[in-house]
Amino acid sequence: MKYVDEFRDPNAVHVLSREIHRITRHPWTIMEVCGGQTHSIVRYGLDRLLPPAITLIHGPGCPVCVTPIELIDAACQLASLPEVIFCSFGDMLRVPGSHEDLLRVKAQGGDIRIIYSPLDAVGIAQSNPQSQIICFAVGFETTAPAQAMAVLQARRLHLSNFSLLVAHVLVPPAMKAILSSPENRVQGFLAAGHVCSVMGYEMYEPICLRYRVPIVVTGFEPVDILEGVQLVIAQLEEGRHKVDNQYARSVHRSGNLEARKVVDEVFESASRNWRGIGEIPESGLQLRQTFAEFDALRTFQDRIHLSSPANDLESECQSGRILQGIMQPSACSAFGTRCTPDHPLGAPMVSSEGACAAYYRYRHHEVGPGEQ
Ligand code: SF4
């Protein structure tokens, strides 16, 4: 797109801001799906460069935040087993389960290791044949290819001590659930550029048609986000609803075909419970039957107890409303008081992509608890 080569030029931000002011005629509410984009918006104050008629709301694209509490509980139980080395991205360790988090399990002696790639966990499995290695497979379509590659690599190496605790979630079903909600406010979406780098954007085209919303595939630099907003507003003002690709320097319509093939070989879609939101049909991934021996829940089904999927919906944490864009973080009565990054009540305050963490980090000095 026009401005992407200038994303280090602060003037480009102001040029885009002026252009958005020029074309805006009506009030519009736009959701950025990705937590990384939320952090850019709050960090750089991009929402404050927009006309008052434009409202940006934050979506469910924080994988740590939406991992259901029953899988955190399962992770804690699995990590407590004496023969298990539990491998996870660092963000997951402080996400509260029903009674404890992985950090506490680690403090109590559980062998929990922070990894930066699922292939690290395969290496740990090779080096520790006497142990069972479980990798916590968390994330959206972006991280699924690496987890799928780890499974294929474990099979190639004939490893019988490697498995996944699968918590993968998918973006399009969540967008459809938000648009179908009676409380929906979203009139246009910024879709996450990294997800589309893997999956492309063909799957968004039916959503635009069915719900009559524009979707713009958008990058992460301030100028990317403002250009994405400009493209959404241009469509809304002209009554159009199609997919635009602001992030064309990385995203093609069909995505990364090799990565999609690997994911499709190892995983299939399944219903998934989203933390604070509830079950969304076909919104998760599970291992295909041909890879069932790599499913930690199946291997250890007699050693752990899965808690009820719905038992977090009545918690004080309002994460479900935050993740659906119904409420801003600073409107939560616990924000900045009973809930802080040191003492989080919910995952959005823990994760580096969580909306509550973004507001706390960049704006808590200017908003009191309970303020909008
Ligand atoms: S501020 Fe804390 S308690 Fe409130 S919604 Fe965010 S994470 Fe949950």
Side-chain angles (χ1 to χ4, degrees), residues 316-319 322 329 332 334-336 339 345-349 356:
E316 181 183 12
C317 176
Q318 301 282 315
S319 67
I322 302 287
C332 172
F335 176 83
C339 182
L345 291 180
M349 189 58 93
C356 300

Side-chain angles (χ1 to χ4, degrees), residues 241-317:
H241 43 84
K242 67 181 193 68
V243 181
D244 268 340
N245 182 13
Q246 184 279 331
Y247 205 37
R249 66 186 187 272
S250 176
V251 173
H252 305 287
R253 183 170 178 270
S254 299
N256 181 329
L257 292 176
E258 283 304 311
R260 289 178 67 177
K261 192 171 143 201
V262 167
V263 171
D264 194 47
E265 181 179 352
V266 174
F267 294 114
E268 61 188 0
S269 64
S271 285
R272 171 77 66 212
N273 188 38
W274 292 52
R275 187 168 189 151
I277 298 176
E279 185 167 321
I280 302 177
E282 302 300 310
S283 67
L285 293 176
Q286 66 181 14
L287 288 159
R288 289 188 181 277
Q289 191 57 35
T290 46
F291 291 94
E293 77 262 30
F294 295 101
D295 184 350
L297 287 180
R298 178 177 174 270
T299 305
F300 295 94
Q301 59 185 323
D302 298 331
R303 308 279 303 281
I304 63 170
H305 169 71
L306 273 181
S307 53
S308 162
N311 68 358
D312 64 324
L313 293 176
E314 293 178 2
S315 127
E316 181 183 12
C317 176

Side-chain angles (χ1 to χ4, degrees), residues 27 134 163 324 362:
I134 300 175
S163 58
Q324 294 173 88
Y362 301 114

Side-chain angles (χ1 to χ4, degrees), residues 27-341:
W28 303 110
T29 300
I30 301 167
M31 173 180 276
E32 84 281 358
V33 174
C34 171
Q37 291 171 334
T38 302
H39 274 251
S40 278
I41 289 166
V42 180
R43 178 177 182 181
Y44 296 109
L46 302 180
D47 48 339
R48 293 169 175 176
L49 297 175
L50 303 177
I54 302 301
T55 304
L56 295 187
I57 55 176
H58 317 305
C62 162
V64 173
C65 305
V66 301
T67 300
I69 200 164
E70 66 271 19
L71 286 183
I72 302 294
D73 290 345
C76 291
Q77 292 175 62
L78 290 167
S80 302
L81 297 175
E83 72 272 37
V84 166
I85 299 175
F86 193 86
C87 300
S88 172
F89 298 131
D91 268 12
M92 296 306 296
L93 267 61
R94 295 182 60 238
V95 179
S98 297
H99 308 293
E100 57 186 354
D101 57 28
L102 284 166
L103 199 60
R104 179 178 290 192
V105 174
K106 187 172 169 61
Q108 290 167 346
D111 192 345
I112 299 175
R113 305 195 188 175
I114 293 173
I115 55 168
Y116 296 94
S117 159
L119 290 173
D120 294 344
V122 176
I124 293 170
Q126 281 182 284
S127 310
N128 296 271
Q130 77 290 353
S131 298
Q132 286 290 327
I133 314 307
I134 300 175
C135 182
F136 204 177
V138 171
F140 285 90
E141 293 91 330
T142 346
T143 50
Q147 298 287 356
M149 283 298 299
V151 169
L152 293 176
Q153 181 73 350
R155 175 165 281 181
R156 239 175 253 131
L157 295 169
H158 306 291
L159 294 177
S160 58
N161 65 334
F162 176 84
S163 58
L164 299 184
L165 176 59
V166 181
H168 281 300
V169 280
L170 303 172
V171 171
M175 292 166 84
K176 286 191 253 183
I178 288 167
L179 290 167
S180 302
S181 164
E183 294 185 274
N184 174 50
R185 301 162 60 197
V186 179
Q187 294 166 297
F189 280 107
L190 305 183
H194 52 4
V195 168
C196 297
S197 296
V198 176
M199 301 303 289
Y201 54 82
E202 294 158 296
M203 76 289 274
Y204 297 125
E205 290 165 355
I207 299 176
C208 290
L209 282 179
R210 177 171 170 195
Y211 297 95
R212 302 180 67 80
V213 290
I215 298 176
V216 176
V217 179
T218 302
F220 301 89
E221 297 288 342
V223 73
D224 287 322
I225 292 169
L226 285 180
E227 189 167 32
V229 170
Q230 180 213 338
L231 292 169
V232 170
I233 293 171
Q235 287 203 49
L236 288 167
E237 292 287 353
E238 292 164 19
R240 294 184 289 117
H241 43 84
K242 67 181 193 68
V243 181
D244 268 340
N245 182 13
Q246 184 279 331
Y247 205 37
R249 66 186 187 272
S250 176
V251 173
H252 305 287
R253 183 170 178 270
S254 299
N256 181 329
L257 292 176
E258 283 304 311
R260 289 178 67 177
K261 192 171 143 201
V262 167
V263 171
D264 194 47
E265 181 179 352
V266 174
F267 294 114
E268 61 188 0
S269 64
S271 285
R272 171 77 66 212
N273 188 38
W274 292 52
R275 187 168 189 151
I277 298 176
E279 185 167 321
I280 302 177
E282 302 300 310
S283 67
L285 293 176
Q286 66 181 14
L287 288 159
R288 289 188 181 277
Q289 191 57 35
T290 46
F291 291 94
E293 77 262 30
F294 295 101
D295 184 350
L297 287 180
R298 178 177 174 270
T299 305
F300 295 94
Q301 59 185 323
D302 298 331
R303 308 279 303 281
I304 63 170
H305 169 71
L306 273 181
S307 53
S308 162
N311 68 358
D312 64 324
L313 293 176
E314 293 178 2
S315 127
E316 181 183 12
C317 176
Q318 301 282 315
S319 67
R321 296 175 67 75
I322 302 287
L323 293 165
Q324 294 173 88
I326 299 166
M327 181 177 159
Q328 295 286 63
S330 47
C332 172
S333 60
F335 176 83
T337 53
R338 292 183 302 290
C339 182
T340 65

